[in-house]
């Protein structure tokens, strides 16, 4: 198909030719050409004016009628305009749909612009945060949520973890606040009522703690009697002797489980460990001797600067290193090494328990510190672990503002690193 622009050029050329010939018949060919050019210029200007007026009216009026090049141009602009209107309507409807769903949410949703001012909020924001959609739009968010913990969280702009907050409307309501950055510095805030969830979580913790507590005394009594019975001479029949030994071993295992559950619930119920000075090298040597005694033939070297002193709870730190070192020895054959290395990393200190034992497949690492998570059930039965060791380690470290980093490769060994921040190092 020929372009309308070329057709227009052809038409102009034919008109010029025709009028040049007609003008030539009267001996004035240039007059004919000039008349055509003048007429064409006026016609073009008129169409330009129509286009301008039509566009100035927002393109809302009827499309101007015309033939040839200008007709094609008007139709093309009209098509573009219609397509743009459809896109705009689609966006508008999507936007309204999103707003409608946010409005229906029982969680508070607040949109904050790059200057930290509130742009939009849903009705649940009034119930959970005490915001008024009319009064508070355009207000700085931190003028409304004045809790210093929230202000620090908002200013730090690290929203990888949610923040627990008490509702400013009613302190019995516990909120979980999550912020997300979108566009150019805009933020979207979700606040969820987690009061009921936290109550259930507390009930679960109390239940486990109470049951463990109640089981502790009967288990100690049973285990004590079984130990007495299993001692030589009390029971003479070998069949019963074996049964009692097994019963004693299993009751001991249950006692460990109950002890671990009690320790875990104690760690969960207290927020932060205290700040007593703990000489690291002495503590690590104590733990290494204790574990080496439980694994005859095992030697555990400790490489630690004698001057390092941690601030924390000695019993909890003892439990951390005891669990890590016992695991290392449990999952490493005697001929392969197990050692403790300490290095000053950045401002803090890293305490690593290193072994060249069985190792752990990468896919298990993220879930390893969950309660009762086991890599391999048969390994678990063989070693007699409770599956709570690493959960205890993680909680005790959290109470010391420290992190547990796990690096492991099947067949090559593992490295469990406890990373303590500078604030936990005695100056
Ligand atoms: P458990 O009482 O079973 O040892 P833990 O919570 O201490 O429970 O450890 C969880 C699992 O992690 C263990 O069952 C074991 O499979 C794996 N694990 C822990 N430490 C090591 C290690 N040093 N080498 C290999 N596997 C390990």
């Amino acid at each position: 198909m020929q372009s309308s622009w070329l057709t227009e050029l052809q038409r102009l050329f034919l008109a010029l030719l025709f009028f040049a010939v007609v003008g030539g018949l009267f001996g004035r060919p240039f007059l004919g050409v000039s008349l055509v050019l003048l007429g064409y210029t006026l016609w073009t200007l008129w169409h330009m004016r129509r286009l301008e007026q039509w566009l100035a009216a927002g393109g809302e009026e009827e499309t101007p009628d015309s033939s040839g090049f200008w007709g094609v141009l008007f139709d093309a602009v009209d098509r573009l305009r219609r397509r743009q209107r459809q896109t705009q309507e689609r966006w508008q409807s999507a936007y309204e749909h999103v707003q409608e769903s946010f409005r229906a949410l029982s969680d508070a949703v607040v949109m904050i612009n790059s200057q930290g001012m509130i742009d939009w909020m849903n009705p649940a924001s009034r119930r959970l945060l005490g915001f008024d959609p009319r009064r508070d739009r355009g207000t700085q968010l931190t003028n409304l949520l004045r809790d210093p913990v929230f202000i620090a969280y908002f200013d730090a702009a690290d929203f990888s973890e949610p923040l627990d907050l008490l509702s400013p409307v009613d302190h019995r309501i516990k909120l979980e606040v999550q912020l997300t950055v979108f566009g150019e510095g805009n933020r979207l805030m979700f606040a969820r009522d987690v009061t009921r969830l936290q109550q259930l979580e507390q009930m679960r913790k109390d239940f486990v703690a109470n049951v463990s507590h109640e089981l502790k005394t009967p288990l100690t009594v049973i285990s004590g009697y079984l130990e007495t019975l299993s001692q030589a001479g009390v029971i003479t029949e070998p069949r019963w002797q074996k049964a009692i030994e097994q019963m004693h071993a299993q009751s001991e295992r249950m006692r460990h489980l109950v002890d671990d559950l009690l320790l875990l619930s104690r760690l969960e119920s207290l927020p932060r460990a205290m700040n007593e000075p703990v000489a690291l090298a002495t503590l690590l040597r104590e733990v290494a001797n204790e574990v080496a005694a439980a694994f005859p033939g095992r030697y555990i070297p400790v490489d630690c600067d004698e001057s390092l002193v941690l601030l924390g709870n000695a019993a909890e730190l003892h439990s951390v290193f005891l669990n890590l070192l016992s695991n290392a020895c449990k999952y490493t054959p005697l001929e392969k090494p197990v050692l403790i290395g300490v290095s000053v990393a950045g401002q803090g200190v890293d305490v690593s328990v290193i072994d060249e034992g069985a190792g752990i497949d990468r896919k298990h690492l993220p879930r390893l510190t969950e309660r009762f998570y086991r890599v391999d059930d048969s390994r678990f039965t063989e070693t007699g672990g409770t599956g709570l060791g690493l959960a205890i380690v993680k909680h005790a470290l959290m109470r010391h503002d420290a992190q547990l980093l796990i690096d492991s490769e099947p067949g090559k060994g593992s490295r469990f690193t406890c990373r303590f921040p500078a604030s936990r190092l005695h100056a």
Side-chain angles (χ1 to χ4, degrees), residues 188-388:
L188 186 64
M189 182 173 94
F190 282 91
R192 196 157 68 102
D193 182 351
V194 290
T195 320
R196 180 96 190 102
L197 259 180
Q198 288 199 356
Q199 273 168 356
L200 285 174
E201 179 66 9
Q202 192 54 46
M203 273 165 65
R204 181 193 65 77
K205 284 180 190 165
D206 291 349
F207 175 77
V208 173
N210 289 338
V211 170
S212 312
H213 190 74
E214 293 303 324
L215 283 176
K216 199 173 159 66
T217 316
L219 272 174
T220 312
V221 173
I222 293 171
S223 190
Y225 277 124
L226 286 171
E227 191 178 0
T228 316
L229 286 177
S230 65
Q231 275 159 11
V234 181
I235 300 240
T236 43
E237 209 178 323
R239 194 162 52 108
W240 283 111
Q241 233 171 25
K242 186 147 192 286
I244 285 176
E245 267 165 29
Q246 275 179 358
M247 280 158 71
H248 180 234
Q250 291 304 322
S251 67
E252 275 300 292
R253 195 163 152 187
M254 276 162 78
R255 231 158 53 85
H256 281 140
L257 185 64
V258 164
D259 283 347
D260 279 359
L261 280 171
L262 277 173
L263 176 60
L264 201 51
S265 52
R266 213 172 44 243
L267 290 174
E268 279 177 337
S269 58
L270 306 167
R272 261 167 80 94
M274 51 193 174
N275 268 355
E276 66 188 25
V278 182
L280 192 55
T282 315
L283 175 71
L284 292 177
R285 269 198 305 272
E286 246 172 58
V287 176
N289 291 338
E290 204 175 312
V291 176
F295 291 85
R298 163 70 67 198
Y299 166 68
I300 305 167
V302 177
D303 176 17
C304 178
D305 186 335
E306 291 297 325
S307 65
L308 281 175
V309 176
L310 279 184
L311 294 172
N313 179 303
E316 288 174 22
L317 291 172
H318 183 275
S319 163
V320 165
F321 302 127
L322 185 72
N323 271 302
L324 291 179
L325 210 54
S326 308
N327 276 349
C329 294
K330 263 193 277 179
Y331 303 110
T332 307
L334 263 186
E335 63 278 10
K336 296 275 176 71
V338 168
L339 56 109
I340 303 180
V342 178
S343 60
V344 177
Q347 300 290 307
V349 62
D350 280 358
V351 183
S352 300
V353 176
I354 306 156
D355 69 62
E356 288 183 18
I360 309 153
D361 198 295
R362 189 159 289 276
K363 69 172 188 251
H364 296 292
L365 298 185
R367 299 194 55 196
L368 217 54
T369 53
E370 283 175 21
R371 275 151 233 238
F372 300 114
Y373 186 80
R374 294 163 207 162
V375 171
D376 175 354
D377 272 348
S378 60
R379 220 199 257 182
F380 170 79
T381 330
E382 264 170 41
T383 57
T386 61
L388 291 172

Side-chain angles (χ1 to χ4, degrees), residues 57-223:
E60 290 304 323
E61 289 170 0
E62 270 298 281
T63 318
D65 232 1
S66 191
S67 60
F69 172 76
W70 284 98
V72 173
L73 188 68
F74 284 136
D75 285 347
V77 173
D78 189 43
R79 258 199 313 279
L80 269 179
R81 196 197 56 176
R82 238 178 289 169
R83 211 177 303 153
Q84 188 203 6
R85 197 178 301 155
Q86 276 167 1
T87 315
Q88 203 173 337
E89 276 168 9
R90 261 205 308 275
W91 276 109
Q92 182 70 23
S93 123
Y95 179 69
E96 276 164 15
H97 194 69
V98 170
Q99 276 206 345
E100 221 169 279
S101 24
F102 277 174
R103 238 178 250 129
L105 274 182
S106 55
D107 300 346
V109 182
V110 184
M111 286 181 189
I112 305 125
N113 65 21
S114 53
Q115 276 97 52
M117 288 188 288
I118 296 177
D119 267 352
W120 186 87
M121 67 188 81
N122 72 345
S125 312
R126 183 194 287 272
R127 184 172 53 83
L128 296 177
L129 301 165
F131 292 179
D132 183 330
R134 271 192 223 138
R135 185 196 60 200
D136 296 331
R137 204 166 286 173
T139 311
Q140 283 285 339
L141 179 70
T142 42
N143 283 351
L144 297 176
L145 286 180
R146 290 163 175 273
D147 187 324
V149 178
F150 176 78
I151 295 178
Y153 176 72
F154 189 75
D155 289 343
D158 173 12
F159 306 130
S160 50
E161 292 287 325
L163 175 77
D164 288 333
L165 203 69
L166 294 179
S167 162
V169 183
D170 179 349
H171 277 107
R172 283 168 306 178
I173 301 179
K174 296 188 175 94
L175 300 176
E176 186 184 83
V177 176
Q178 177 80 65
L179 275 126
T180 316
V181 181
F182 71 101
E184 286 176 15
N186 299 313
R187 277 151 287 187
L188 186 64
M189 182 173 94
F190 282 91
R192 196 157 68 102
D193 182 351
V194 290
T195 320
R196 180 96 190 102
L197 259 180
Q198 288 199 356
Q199 273 168 356
L200 285 174
E201 179 66 9
Q202 192 54 46
M203 273 165 65
R204 181 193 65 77
K205 284 180 190 165
D206 291 349
F207 175 77
V208 173
N210 289 338
V211 170
S212 312
H213 190 74
E214 293 303 324
L215 283 176
K216 199 173 159 66
T217 316
L219 272 174
T220 312
V221 173
I222 293 171
S223 190

Side-chain angles (χ1 to χ4, degrees), residues 11-75:
R11 276 165 69 177
L12 177 62
F13 182 72
L14 285 176
L16 283 170
L17 198 66
F18 178 73
F19 277 87
V21 171
V22 173
L25 289 179
F26 297 94
R28 313 282 289 270
F30 286 111
L31 181 64
V33 170
S34 307
L35 281 175
V36 171
L37 287 177
L38 180 68
Y40 188 78
T41 309
L42 289 174
W43 188 72
T44 304
L45 284 172
W46 178 62
H47 275 94
M48 284 165 79
R49 173 99 186 104
R50 287 176 78 196
L51 178 64
E52 189 190 28
Q53 278 176 341
W54 183 52
L55 291 179
E60 290 304 323
E61 289 170 0
E62 270 298 281
T63 318
D65 232 1
S66 191
S67 60
F69 172 76
W70 284 98
V72 173
L73 188 68
F74 284 136
D75 285 347

Side-chain angles (χ1 to χ4, degrees), residues 364-418:
H364 296 292
L365 298 185
R367 299 194 55 196
L368 217 54
T369 53
E370 283 175 21
R371 275 151 233 238
F372 300 114
Y373 186 80
R374 294 163 207 162
V375 171
D376 175 354
D377 272 348
S378 60
R379 220 199 257 182
F380 170 79
T381 330
E382 264 170 41
T383 57
T386 61
L388 291 172
L390 291 180
I392 290 175
V393 169
K394 184 180 143 190
H395 273 88
L397 287 179
M398 262 163 48
R399 284 171 32 73
H400 287 81
D401 315 307
Q403 271 178 298
L404 177 66
L405 310 172
I406 310 171
D407 191 12
S408 188
E409 208 177 311
K412 293 211 166 154
S414 316
R415 173 189 281 260
F416 287 76
T417 302
C418 309

